[in-house]
Amino acid sequence: MKRDIDAQLQQYKAQRINRGCLLIRCLDQPGIIAATSRFLFQYNANIIESSQYSTNHERGNFFIRIEFDCPSLPDQKEEMKTRFLSIAENFSMEWKMTFPSEVKRMAIFVSKDLHCIRELLFEWQSGDLMTEIVLVISNHEDARELVESFDIPFVYIPTGLDNREDVESKQLKLLEDYAVELIVLARYMQILTPTFVEANPNRIINIHHSFLPAFVGARPYNRAYQRGVKLIGATSHYVTNDLDEGPIIEQDTMRVDHRDNIEGMKKIGRSIERSVLARSVKWHLEDRIIVDGNKTIVF
């Protein structure tokens, strides 16, 4: 199984060896697209996808994602990043240039509920999540057999109120040792400390089993049932120090009615959670998300 996944990743990298991506955020003003296009043309780069958005063309913020193919990219990527600095400074851009062939390294945190991690592993095995899942960390043993069947290292670190700092110290060391670039909380039922969150800005994706901002915190299905809601949903968001209030990446809903009890709502909700989290992770891996304050622009 692992050999097949590795072969898929190698093929993906080889096919995108000349592919680059530019993500830009700045004040809307004339000349942004012209300057960027001229820059890419100097390297004989062909723009193959371009998406843009402005909050207001006179005084708003401008966002653009450009994917390009450049024959000389493997030899010139560092030069391109250095030379783009002058354009970025001229327009006061927040920007990054990424390269799809440099597949991101991902770690998954999970507790007892395994439906979300199963979905991620299935998407990964199927070639729909192009990433290296290098590590799974859990505060329970429930996921071990599943994770190790994929030849992924599984680390069990029991967590309690009295050892939170020690646990996170071990977790941060593991993330550093495995050079992790994205952390996915696949129903990891622990609140992260500010120290952990601040060490990984916009690099932690969580799935919340509620259509936020409704029913923030624990036991949302119980509260939804008591409230008699007609829609339940799930929300994937970047983690900040404000509980369940980070920038939202993706949401979805499904109808329920008075016939659905709490367990029925949980079953429906698990289906929504799986798909919402998988889409969010995929978009992050493909560099389709720009964070704008407490919101996201998803291209």
Side-chain angles (χ1 to χ4, degrees), residues 80-121:
M80 290 179 72
K81 287 194 290 186
T82 300
R83 290 190 58 191
F84 192 75
L85 282 170
S86 61
I87 296 174
E89 290 172 359
N90 187 44
F91 290 96
S92 300
M93 293 176 177
E94 296 175 14
W95 67 284
K96 65 177 180 179
M97 185 182 297
T98 64
F99 309 98
S101 63
E102 298 177 358
V103 174
K104 294 179 177 62
R105 296 170 63 83
M106 185 170 94
I108 301 174
F109 283 42
V110 65
S111 292
K112 288 187 173 184
D113 291 323
L114 305 186
H115 54 284
C116 284
I117 191 173
R118 288 185 191 277
E119 184 73 14
L120 294 174
L121 292 174

Side-chain angles (χ1 to χ4, degrees), residues 41-52:
F41 178 71
Q42 292 172 2
Y43 287 91
N44 196 32
N46 185 30
I47 295 174
I48 57 178
E49 182 179 332
S50 180
S51 302
Q52 66 191 67

Side-chain angles (χ1 to χ4, degrees), residues 6 22 24 65 75 83 85 124 126 128 133 144 154 208 212-213 221 239 273:
D6 288 341
L22 258 174
I24 296 170
R65 177 186 185 273
D75 298 323
R83 290 190 58 191
L85 282 170
W124 183 56
S126 301
D128 292 323
I133 302 179
R144 179 182 293 278
F154 178 88
H208 183 73
L212 294 173
Y221 292 121
V239 175
E273 293 164 30

Side-chain angles (χ1 to χ4, degrees), residues 2 5-6 9 13 103-109 121 124 131-137 147 150-155 174-183 203:
K2 188 66 163 57
I5 296 171
D6 288 341
L9 284 171
K13 293 177 183 179
V103 174
K104 294 179 177 62
R105 296 170 63 83
M106 185 170 94
I108 301 174
F109 283 42
L121 292 174
W124 183 56
T131 181
E132 295 182 25
I133 302 179
V134 296
L135 178 67
V136 172
I137 296 174
V147 171
F150 284 82
D151 295 324
I152 300 170
F154 178 88
V155 180
L174 284 166
L175 296 175
E176 181 181 358
D177 290 345
Y178 281 87
V180 170
E181 299 166 276
L182 173 64
I183 302 160
R203 293 173 53 210

Side-chain angles (χ1 to χ4, degrees), residues 12-28:
Y12 177 88
K13 293 177 183 179
Q15 290 173 342
R16 288 160 178 79
I17 193 67
N18 296 330
R19 193 73 57 88
C21 181
L22 258 174
L23 290 169
I24 296 170
R25 176 189 184 275
C26 62
L27 290 177
D28 201 346

